[in-house]
Amino acid sequence: MLIIGAGLCGSLLALRLAQRGYKVEVYESRPDLRKVDISAGRSINLALSDRGLKALRLCGMEEKAREICIPMFGRLMHDREGNTFSSNYSGSANEYINSISRGDLNAILLDEAEKHENVTLHFNKKCKKVAIEKNIAHFIDYKTKEEFPVIADVIFGADGAGSSLRKSYLSERKFLFSYSQNYLNHGYKELEIPADTNGNHQISKEHLHIWPRGDFMLIALPNMDGSFTVTLFLSYNEGEFNFENLTSEEKITAFFEKEFPDALELIPNILEEFTNNPTGPLGTIKCNPWSYQNKTLLMGDSSHAIVPFYGQGMNASFEDVFVLDEILSYFEKSEENFDWETVFKAYQKKRKKDTDAIADLAIDNFFEMRDHVANPLFKEKRKIEMDLEKTFPKQYMSKYSLVTFNEDIGYNEAMKRGRAQDKALLNLISGDEVHTHLEMTKEELQVILDKVITETNTILQEDKIAGL
């Protein structure tokens, strides 16, 4: 097995294939992140939730990952005046997402994979192209500048949104290959809230912090060292403030003083970081098919890169490994002849509708996070949802909970049911059919639940008839 890419998806895939007894060679274009800091320009920390944990559990890595996690129980919103209000992720007890360092998680997965004698890791080896008919990957060694081929039985492209294997699918024209790459008109830039003088977090570490401002927003996730990774999502060229016109110290300072005064007080190196840190694009990649014959397969971001607003990019890639493992187990136990082409097709058939769904949900959540979280109608909907989840945890789960905390429900099913529930609740609220107050009784909530379930099922049936 040849895996191109030793990032999060590639390292977990290498570990699982090794555990299944395959001989695995992993080639990575970057240096070994366990020896060199290569975080610049990439998200330093990520949100790890139930789907990702399920895949880590499969590989025996859940507990090690949890040791480097910081639980976040909800969002904490910051308005322009510095006022805050919190919104838990779920009304059910003990449901939270985790802030985790990309580099630290990647490192423990590489360490674990490397313990297996049947795994070999190669760094500073850039894949230039893949001859998909012959199963030959062509690499260049960044240190020696030497170019060399690697022949494999099966090649996995886990090399991210800029995948060389996916580009080879396009350029070799051996089969009909559909590909789309769509960008938001927003980019992102990372900043930092450092720890205080005692090494503690300066704001609540139990929340994902959001400064929603309509057309743009700031978010912050906690790190183990007491700092926060802060990310600004802003248009490239639209609005009063955008990345193209924030070019002077005066304008950068004016922007943060007006829009994020409380955050500005916590970011001492704002001008230096804003000027020197790269601005990254936000894009969605969809393609089809993911495999070629019995020879190659795209996994993770190489086949379905998404924008980061549902916190599911890493979780979806990890779930890819879990689903592939399920498919392998099925064919190994069945009496059907095992061949990789059949495995790959079965994997895509099971997986693609879910990865398409989370891509669409992530864009939905972009608008929700920047526009809707402070909207009174949204707040009322969220209050009812939380009450329903808390009182009837087995009968009601919000769209966010279906996606984030229900790893046995596919993204596609979670999207369909979640959207129908959202529509049902908003219809009932705007039509004055349901109302909320601080201390609602179980009987009052039961009436609301019954109405929501009835309305949701009606919408789902209408959507099914309409082919949605």
Side-chain angles (χ1 to χ4, degrees), residues 174-192:
K174 300 291 184 185
F175 60 106
L176 294 174
F177 181 65
S178 301
Y179 167 69
S180 68
Q181 186 166 0
N182 297 303
Y183 288 102
L184 294 177
N185 192 38
H186 282 61
Y188 73 94
K189 187 182 288 286
E190 296 205 329
L191 310 165
E192 183 188 42

Side-chain angles (χ1 to χ4, degrees), residues 39-86:
S39 62
R42 306 197 75 206
S43 299
I44 293 167
N45 52 10
L46 301 163
L48 175 64
S49 54
D50 291 27
R51 294 174 195 273
L53 289 165
K54 173 181 66 175
L56 291 168
R57 192 179 312 127
L58 170 73
C59 301
M61 293 299 292
E62 180 184 10
E63 293 310 311
K64 284 187 178 179
R66 286 191 183 276
E67 289 173 8
I68 53 174
C69 283
I70 299 177
M72 299 181 293
F73 295 91
R75 300 165 171 169
L76 192 69
M77 314 301 169
H78 299 248
D79 68 14
R80 286 184 178 84
E81 286 69 49
N83 303 310
T84 61
F85 67 90
S86 62

Side-chain angles (χ1 to χ4, degrees), residues 73 87-95 382-393 396-398 401 405:
F73 295 91
S87 173
N88 284 359
Y89 284 121
S90 168
S92 301
N94 301 316
E95 287 189 335
R382 195 72 186 127
K383 165 77 168 64
I384 294 173
E385 283 187 323
M386 299 293 282
D387 288 342
L388 291 175
E389 282 188 323
K390 184 176 182 180
T391 310
F392 308 105
Y396 186 88
M397 287 166 278
S398 69
S401 291
F405 303 123

Side-chain angles (χ1 to χ4, degrees), residues 33 74 139 143 178 183 188 251 269 296 326 345 356 381 385 422-423 447:
L33 56 72
F139 292 91
K143 289 187 175 178
S178 301
Y183 288 102
Y188 73 94
K251 189 139 190 179
N269 300 321
T296 59
E326 279 188 323
K345 286 182 176 178
D356 284 351
K381 175 178 102 49
E385 283 187 323
D422 284 354
K423 189 175 178 181
V447 172

Side-chain angles (χ1 to χ4, degrees), residues 322-336:
F322 186 92
V323 173
L324 180 65
D325 188 76
E326 279 188 323
I327 302 290
L328 286 171
S329 294
Y330 170 79
F331 280 106
E332 285 177 359
K333 290 174 185 173
S334 74
E335 294 181 2
E336 298 178 47

Side-chain angles (χ1 to χ4, degrees), residues 99-365:
S99 178
I100 191 166
S101 159
R102 176 196 290 272
D104 291 349
L105 178 57
N106 208 158
I108 65 172
L109 291 174
L110 290 170
D111 285 344
E112 194 67 24
E114 213 167 30
K115 289 178 184 177
H116 293 262
E117 291 183 0
N118 49 335
V119 174
T120 309
L121 305 177
H122 307 266
F123 296 95
N124 294 300
K125 310 289 191 293
K126 166 74 174 173
C127 183
K128 295 184 69 180
K129 65 178 180 178
V130 179
I132 60 174
E133 201 72 57
K134 298 177 180 178
N135 256 28
I136 301 174
H138 294 271
F139 292 91
I140 181 168
D141 187 311
Y142 274 146
K143 289 187 175 178
T144 65
K145 307 304 178 189
E146 173 197 359
E147 296 190 19
F148 60 95
V150 177
I151 305 171
D153 294 315
V154 178
I155 299 175
F156 293 92
D159 46 345
S163 171
S164 57
L165 177 58
R166 193 188 64 244
K167 289 174 182 174
S168 297
Y169 280 5
L170 275 169
S171 62
E172 290 216 3
R173 299 178 182 275
K174 300 291 184 185
F175 60 106
L176 294 174
F177 181 65
S178 301
Y179 167 69
S180 68
Q181 186 166 0
N182 297 303
Y183 288 102
L184 294 177
N185 192 38
H186 282 61
Y188 73 94
K189 187 182 288 286
E190 296 205 329
L191 310 165
E192 183 188 42
I193 295 175
D196 66 17
T197 52
N198 296 316
N200 297 319
H201 294 90
Q202 296 195 59
I203 51 179
S204 168
K205 68 174 183 178
E206 295 189 342
H207 292 90
L208 185 154
H209 295 261
I210 306 179
W211 290 258
R213 297 295 182 264
D215 289 334
F216 51 89
M217 66 177 169
L218 201 67
I219 69 168
L221 277 75
N223 296 309
M224 296 287 283
D225 64 1
S227 68
F228 281 81
T229 301
V230 180
T231 309
L232 172 66
F233 297 100
L234 181 69
S235 172
Y236 279 105
N237 53 20
E238 294 179 354
E240 179 186 357
F241 299 105
N242 56 64
F243 280 123
E244 286 188 6
N245 68 22
L246 288 177
T247 53
S248 67
E249 292 187 1
E250 293 76 19
K251 189 139 190 179
I252 295 166
T253 303
F255 172 53
F256 277 86
E257 283 178 344
K258 177 183 177 183
E259 301 293 347
F260 313 111
D262 57 335
L264 180 60
E265 292 178 9
L266 301 170
I267 308 175
N269 300 321
I270 183 74
L271 294 173
E272 178 187 340
E273 290 178 6
F274 195 96
T275 304
N276 296 327
N277 291 357
T279 302
L282 296 165
T284 300
I285 287 172
K286 294 181 181 179
C287 63
N288 182 52
W290 293 346
S291 62
Y292 179 62
Q293 296 180 352
N294 61 345
K295 302 176 180 183
T296 59
L297 177 69
L298 297 167
M299 291 186 70
D301 283 358
S302 68
S303 55
H304 54 76
I306 63 176
V307 295
F309 302 107
Y310 230 108
Q312 287 295 307
M314 168 180 62
N315 295 287
S317 292
F318 280 0
E319 196 174 54
D320 284 357
V321 177
F322 186 92
V323 173
L324 180 65
D325 188 76
E326 279 188 323
I327 302 290
L328 286 171
S329 294
Y330 170 79
F331 280 106
E332 285 177 359
K333 290 174 185 173
S334 74
E335 294 181 2
E336 298 178 47
N337 289 331
F338 177 96
D339 73 90
W340 285 104
E341 184 169 13
T342 305
V343 168
F344 293 162
K345 286 182 176 178
Y347 165 73
Q348 178 170 338
K349 184 177 180 181
K350 183 169 184 180
R351 193 75 185 124
K352 182 159 171 54
K353 64 180 183 298
D354 287 328
T355 59
D356 284 351
I358 192 57
D360 295 343
L361 282 165
I363 291 173
D364 288 352
N365 220 38

